[in-house]
Amino acid sequence: MAKFYDVSLSIQPGMPVWPGDPLVSLDLISRIEDGENANVSRMSMGVHTGTHVDAPFHFVAGAATVESLALDVLIGIAQVIEIDRAVGQITADVLRGATINPGVRRVLFKTRNSDLWARGETRFQKDFVALSEDAALFLVDAGIQLVGIDYLSIAPFDAGVPTHVALLTRGVVIVEGVNLAEVPAGMYRMICLPMKLKAADGAPARMVLEAM
């Protein structure tokens, strides 16, 4: 029987968001208990909430927006790579010591960030593990087409632009906020489908891994 992992964060009020982004609001505006025919909810949040995909337009003026991202990149074989818990930043040197399997085009990094999701941490953490610019360029040179990370940014809190630009200007899709707490390192069939938001710089996504 196939083993599936839903690595999407549940969208809910009180979840951590990037500082300055809108907080999540999810309210019932029509209730059966109040005599209405149906329950109807209203949601308000930023497009980079929870598990989400960054489009090139997020950091590159005039670049591709999220609805135009190629499905053959968002669906396919991915490798979950577990990074040693002592690592505070994923650099090119760290990646040289990791094993990216031959032919892999999608990588998801499991770091100590995943502990935050496992314990239900609701406060935003600035000291999350992220990729340096040289790590991003290393992945580009390795032919990676999609990279995911287990916190709300692929880049360090205080140096967000270089890593994002290094990836997005070279056509690499970024997935952030991936919950890998229960996922062992290894190879998976991945489906990552962002909401089809017209002309948006990103979108929340439902992401599922199937063990191989």
Side-chain angles (χ1 to χ4, degrees), residues 1-17:
M1 189 174 188
K3 174 69 173 178
F4 291 96
Y5 296 91
D6 185 344
V7 296
S8 318
L9 297 172
S10 295
I11 302 295
Q12 56 189 313
M15 70 186 303
V17 299

Side-chain angles (χ1 to χ4, degrees), residues 57-177:
F57 184 57
H58 186 32
F59 276 84
V60 185
T65 49
V66 72
E67 81 283 10
S68 66
L69 297 178
L71 291 178
D72 62 356
V73 175
L74 294 162
I75 300 172
I77 304 302
Q79 182 178 359
V80 173
I81 299 173
E82 188 159 3
I83 301 297
D84 190 281
R85 296 174 57 82
V87 171
Q89 184 173 100
I90 302 172
T91 63
D93 282 343
V94 171
L95 293 180
R96 290 185 187 99
T99 301
I100 300 177
N101 292 342
V104 165
R105 292 295 174 260
R106 303 166 193 85
V107 291
L108 308 174
F109 291 110
K110 179 178 181 178
T111 74
R112 66 187 186 211
N113 297 335
S114 286
D115 295 344
L116 300 171
W117 308 127
R119 69 172 184 251
E121 179 61 64
T122 58
R123 295 171 298 174
F124 181 84
Q125 306 293 307
K126 293 183 179 181
D127 60 346
F128 59 89
V129 181
L131 268 69
S132 63
E133 182 182 15
D134 71 332
L137 294 172
F138 180 96
L139 294 175
V140 170
D141 290 342
I144 299 301
Q145 298 175 334
L146 179 146
V147 57
I149 191 77
D150 54 354
Y151 204 61
L152 299 179
S153 176
I154 197 72
F157 178 77
D158 56 356
V161 174
T163 297
H164 278 96
V165 170
L167 295 168
L168 294 174
T169 57
R170 293 166 174 84
V172 179
V173 173
I174 297 170
V175 188
E176 298 168 329

